Amino acid sequence: MRIAQISPLFEAVPPKLYGGTERVVSSLTEELVAMGHEVTLFASGDSITTARLAAMRDQALRLDPSVKDWVAHYMKMVEIVGQRAHEFDVIHSHIDYFPLGLLDRQRVPFVTTLHGRLDLPEFKMIYETYGHTPYVSISDHQRLPIPGLNWARTVLHGMPKDRLTPQPVEQKYFAFLGRVSPEKGLDRAIRIAARAGVKLKVAAKIDDADRAYYDRVIAPLMTQDHVEYIGEINDDQKPEFLSGAHALLFPIDWPEPFGLVMIEAMACGTPVIAMRRGSVPEVMEDGLTGFIIDNEDEAVAAVARIPELDRAKVRARFEQRFTSRRMAEDYVSLYEQLIAEKKKPHLRAVSGGN
């Protein structure tokens, strides 16, 4: 099958540090190639892939301070994909609503995976404008703000089975991994760790957009003795970081569409203590891969139950549910369905002509 993958341009594929969507696109692309498909990846030129790389610019947008209007780069990419659409059996977009107007009018089957939140009024307006085009959700909960879209299916994220693995290290702290922003709940994690009397290591990105929040709310909390900020980390650093944690704290305060860090922790055998928001109940299995809590008091109570969890079973559930092979097989099944559906009107027209 000839497959086009359209990636965001903010980070390389895979990202050097933080970058959830680009990391998923990388996992999917590499697995599709391993399965024997002919994949073209539209992404930044500093991406690394076994697919055919169609470099849309030399480097990722976040690494290029000269970029003043990032939308222009996306519109150029969409036009290039449109011009090459005839080369593919299916086109798979990961860049939100940008390509809908052009690629929806192509004869080639086209599908969009929505990776972000949908509970903003502008999103409802734009996606319902193209409500007939096929969409993939990354959790069932993500669909709730716009339930009437043409949802083709839900495909939970996956990652390579051996990218992150349990390491033989002693567990000495709680881990917080991801991004410093109000919705990610780092302030909650700091309070939970303090009440539990456990050190918290914070491996997180601070975006320019969240700098004021960090300076006002988080920076004063980071001066406490039980908190250690180690900055952004890459995939090579994650296995030891996550394996050394009693648990990953994931006390989010927003409708998280998926939460890739949960399965990264599970891949290392590390249980997760997560707030019951968004996709958490679909990803986590309470009492098996961690604990789902509704407030900080329950989080502190869950700490005492961590010894009940078997880290080997946490890893086993990752292998059963969240590998990139399972994700790629789900998408291939969808691609085949879309291709078959696209052919139906043509076959009827041919039959009628006979």
Side-chain angles (χ1 to χ4, degrees):
M1 193 182 305
R2 300 172 302 165
I3 305 167
Q5 295 289 335
I6 312 175
S7 173
L9 297 175
F10 288 104
E11 305 286 348
V13 178
K16 305 296 188 286
L17 294 168
Y18 184 86
T21 300
E22 294 88 351
R23 184 164 278 109
V24 172
V25 172
S26 176
S27 297
L28 174 59
T29 297
E30 300 310 302
E31 200 64 47
L32 290 171
V33 172
M35 294 168 67
H37 298 285
E38 183 180 312
V39 184
T40 299
L41 173 65
F42 293 84
S44 61
D46 49 353
S47 299
I48 300 173
T49 180
T50 57
R52 296 177 179 176
L53 178 61
M56 296 294 97
R57 60 188 328 273
D58 290 340
Q59 65 179 156
L61 292 171
R62 186 162 79 98
L63 303 177
D64 187 352
S66 71
V67 174
K68 305 303 180 186
D69 181 5
W70 60 267
V71 175
H73 296 275
Y74 273 61
M75 298 311 295
K76 177 184 176 182
M77 176 165 64
V78 169
E79 179 60 29
I80 291 172
V81 175
Q83 292 173 2
R84 296 184 56 182
H86 64 280
E87 300 176 20
F88 308 109
D89 297 312
V90 65
I91 299 174
H92 187 173
S93 171
H94 303 268
I95 59 170
D96 302 323
Y97 47 78
F98 285 101
L100 297 179
L102 176 60
L103 297 185
D104 186 54
R105 291 171 170 80
Q106 299 284 343
R107 293 183 178 181
V108 178
F110 166 62
V111 65
T112 298
T113 294
L114 298 178
H115 289 264
R117 66 191 302 171
L118 299 178
D119 58 332
L120 302 180
E122 290 80 7
F123 292 162
K124 179 177 173 63
M125 175 270 295
I126 188 62
Y127 289 121
E128 286 186 340
T129 299
Y130 301 96
H132 57 281
T133 193
Y135 295 97
V136 171
S137 52
I138 57 176
S139 65
D140 289 340
H141 188 278
Q142 183 194 29
R143 301 182 180 192
L144 295 182
I146 323 178
L149 286 187
N150 181 21
W151 293 110
R153 68 183 63 183
T154 291
V155 178
L156 299 176
H157 286 335
M159 54 185 262
K161 181 179 178 181
D162 296 323
R163 174 182 288 168
L164 306 181
T165 55
Q167 302 298 303
V169 295
E170 183 181 357
Q171 287 77 52
K172 296 182 178 180
Y173 51 85
F174 289 142
F176 180 94
L177 177 64
R179 179 164 52 89
V180 176
S181 62
E183 66 269 19
K184 294 295 185 178
L186 177 54
D187 55 334
R188 286 177 168 177
I190 292 172
R191 291 193 295 269
I192 291 167
R195 291 178 59 184
V198 179
K199 182 176 182 176
L200 177 69
K201 286 192 176 185
V202 179
K205 166 188 177 181
I206 305 173
D207 267 334
D208 290 342
D210 296 310
R211 177 62 63 176
Y213 166 76
Y214 173 81
D215 292 340
R216 184 182 74 256
V217 177
I218 299 299
L221 300 177
M222 299 286 267
T223 62
Q224 298 178 68
D225 291 340
H226 75 289
V227 182
E228 179 183 353
Y229 178 65
I230 62 176
E232 287 188 74
I233 61 175
N234 59 33
D235 282 352
D236 291 337
Q237 297 168 298
K238 287 178 183 178
E240 184 172 0
F241 173 73
L242 290 168
S243 295
H246 297 293
L248 173 77
L249 298 186
F250 194 67
I252 55 172
D253 191 24
W254 74 303
E256 180 80 57
F258 185 82
L260 201 60
V261 295
M262 289 188 284
I263 69 171
E264 290 181 329
M266 291 166 58
C268 296
T270 302
V272 181
I273 297 177
M275 198 69 70
R276 192 188 309 274
R277 297 292 305 276
S279 66
V280 166
E282 296 175 58
V283 178
M284 298 301 305
E285 295 170 272
D286 189 64
L288 178 60
T289 57
F291 298 107
I292 301 174
I293 47 91
D294 291 300
N295 53 56
E296 292 179 30
D297 289 338
E298 290 186 8
V300 175
V303 170
R305 298 183 58 199
I306 291 176
E308 300 175 14
L309 303 176
D310 185 333
R311 294 176 78 97
K313 291 182 179 179
V314 174
R315 167 67 191 188
R317 288 304 283 164
F318 161 77
E319 294 183 9
Q320 292 162 4
R321 301 187 63 207
F322 296 113
T323 65
S324 53
R325 176 53 63 102
R326 188 276 309 155
M327 174 175 63
E329 289 174 345
D330 286 352
Y331 275 117
V332 168
S333 173
L334 174 59
Y335 299 157
E336 292 171 343
Q337 174 186 325
L338 295 174
I339 292 170
E341 290 175 352
K342 199 76 170 182
K343 290 179 178 178
K344 286 179 182 178
H346 171 70
L347 291 176
R348 284 198 297 268
V350 171
S351 176
N354 291 337

